[in-house]
Amino acid sequence: MIKPPKTVTAIVKSVSEKLGREAIFRKVNNREEYFILDLAFSYFQKADRNKRNDYRSGYLYLVHKREKRLLFALAHTPIMTTFFKNNFDYETFRSIITNTAQYRDEHYLRYKKMGVQDEKFRTPDLKVFLNKLDELEISGFTKSVFAKSKSGKTGVGNVFGICLASGCNEEEIVKAIEKSWDLFLWLYPTRPIFKRNASLNRSLQSIDRKCEIARIKNLPKSILKKSCSGQVQGAHIIPHKQGGSDKLQNGVWLCSAHHRLTEGKLNGTRGIDKFEVKYGR
Ligand SMILES: [Zn+2]
């Protein structure tokens, strides 16, 4: 059993809490590099016909010489790369880069250009970095960064890494994870009810990210006695497909269990200091 650095233990704990289930770390052979991932990813791996035994998707903590970095990375993981590409939202990605900029002294992106050539881009200047990302977005970010390899298979031999934090203490690293959590959620096949989550989550940013189920009026006992589980996510009061907006007035934070139980059954409105949401249509 490898004893990981303290920071890795802190990342595993933080990711487990956000997932509501066990996260694990996997050390890369002969390197001070640790992938922190969902234990459930091992099932994707079993379903992979290529039987890769080193699934590498998620947070990556690496110690290189004296430098310590937290990255979000995808490497040689075609199934997850496909999910990530489908869920990817450029505006959300760009705001994650801006919102985590304070945790690093250098911005860094690595990817395979046209699925073949290894590209690295690093700069201490956030503006220059964002310009580079915008430039890639012109042809579609995922199309530029996750181009098909010569063999024609998306994500085979793919490498993607984005630096989120460097030279930080554990507390700052946990904050960088909190602020970049959408990236991790993009590794999953999303259900339709979560599809518009990213923009609603942004609208709810001024509200403390905790399950607000207890504030909702007229809840049936069956829901009240169900305890919170899963990650806390933005939930629409009026669902988007029924014309509900992604604005603050139409959102509450709910854990995934309470989200599922109340989806399409809420009514009312909310603001920063106002909360008039009830169960029942
Ligand atoms: Zn809850």
Side-chain angles (χ1 to χ4, degrees):
M1 187 66 193
I2 314 149
K3 198 173 168 353
K6 259 174 68 195
T7 311
V8 172
T9 310
I11 298 170
V12 169
K13 183 167 170 266
S14 162
V15 172
S16 300
E17 274 168 15
K18 295 190 77 61
L19 285 172
R21 60 172 179 270
E22 195 181 346
I24 54 166
F25 76 88
R26 199 169 270 169
K27 187 181 177 301
V28 178
N29 281 345
N30 306 319
R31 286 192 211 176
E32 276 292 287
E33 297 185 4
Y34 301 83
F35 273 91
I36 293 89
L37 31 95
D38 185 341
L39 177 61
F41 289 175
S42 60
Y43 297 103
F44 289 113
Q45 184 188 319
K46 282 182 183 143
D48 185 345
R49 271 181 302 176
N50 298 317
K51 297 276 178 252
R52 289 162 206 279
N53 59 7
D54 57 346
Y55 244 51
R56 296 174 184 181
S57 295
Y59 287 106
L60 170 62
Y61 182 73
L62 48 91
V63 183
H64 183 64
K65 287 172 189 158
R66 263 178 309 175
E67 218 176 359
K68 291 170 180 162
R69 287 169 179 274
L70 176 74
L71 278 85
F72 181 83
L74 293 162
H76 318 300
T77 50
I79 298 174
M80 258 105 133
T81 302
T82 304
F83 294 146
F84 189 84
K85 274 182 64 173
N86 290 341
N87 295 323
F88 187 90
D89 171 60
Y90 181 69
E91 284 310 314
T92 305
F93 178 72
R94 203 180 188 278
S95 69
I96 289 169
I97 299 308
T98 310
N99 292 340
T100 54
Q102 59 180 295
Y103 303 119
R104 55 185 182 265
D105 39 29
E106 196 182 46
H107 313 287
Y108 173 57
L109 169 73
R110 184 181 164 193
Y111 66 101
K112 278 247 167 106
K113 193 179 185 179
M114 303 314 291
V116 186
Q117 195 190 333
D118 210 0
E119 284 280 314
K120 289 173 188 166
F121 187 76
R122 56 173 83 216
T123 171
D125 190 324
L126 180 62
K127 255 192 192 159
V128 172
F129 193 65
L130 290 173
N131 281 343
K132 171 73 179 176
L133 299 183
D134 290 344
E135 202 180 283
L136 288 168
E137 170 61 6
I138 289 168
S139 45
F141 191 85
T142 59
K143 217 175 156 191
S144 313
V145 172
F146 299 108
K148 280 190 178 175
S149 68
K150 273 185 182 159
S151 64
K153 275 191 202 162
T154 303
V156 172
N158 211 295
V159 174
F160 170 75
I162 185 94
C163 184
L164 297 166
S166 59
C168 281
N169 62 34
E170 282 161 35
E171 201 178 314
E172 288 168 317
I173 290 224
V174 167
K175 278 187 190 152
I177 289 171
E178 175 80 29
K179 291 185 178 181
S180 62
W181 187 241
D182 278 324
L183 298 179
F184 202 94
L185 292 183
W186 290 345
L187 297 173
Y188 297 84
T190 31
R191 294 157 194 258
I193 71 163
F194 301 143
K195 273 222 167 128
R196 305 205 53 88
N197 222 252
S199 96
L200 184 65
N201 283 359
R202 275 200 300 282
S203 302
L204 283 164
Q205 264 174 4
S206 53
I207 311 286
D208 204 11
R209 191 168 185 155
K210 284 185 184 141
C211 181
E212 298 184 283
I213 192 73
R215 303 181 73 184
I216 298 173
K217 298 207 171 69
N218 298 341
L219 278 176
K221 281 208 183 90
S222 59
I223 295 182
L224 272 172
K225 66 179 188 206
K226 173 111 186 144
S227 48
C228 289
S229 76
Q231 68 253 8
V232 175
Q233 51 205 213
H236 291 91
I237 298 169
I238 307 293
H240 189 261
K241 60 174 185 281
Q242 290 168 22
S245 76
D246 293 339
K247 296 210 166 82
L248 173 66
Q249 300 92 283
N250 191 43
V252 291
W253 288 121
L254 290 177
C255 67
S256 60
H258 286 130
H259 189 179
R260 210 161 291 143
L261 290 169
T262 56
E263 174 75 8
K265 292 169 186 154
L266 301 178
N267 223 329
T269 180
R270 77 92 48 87
I272 291 173
D273 304 311
K274 184 177 91 162
F275 195 93
E276 287 162 10
V277 183
K278 63 174 183 52
Y279 182 90
R281 304 302 286 271

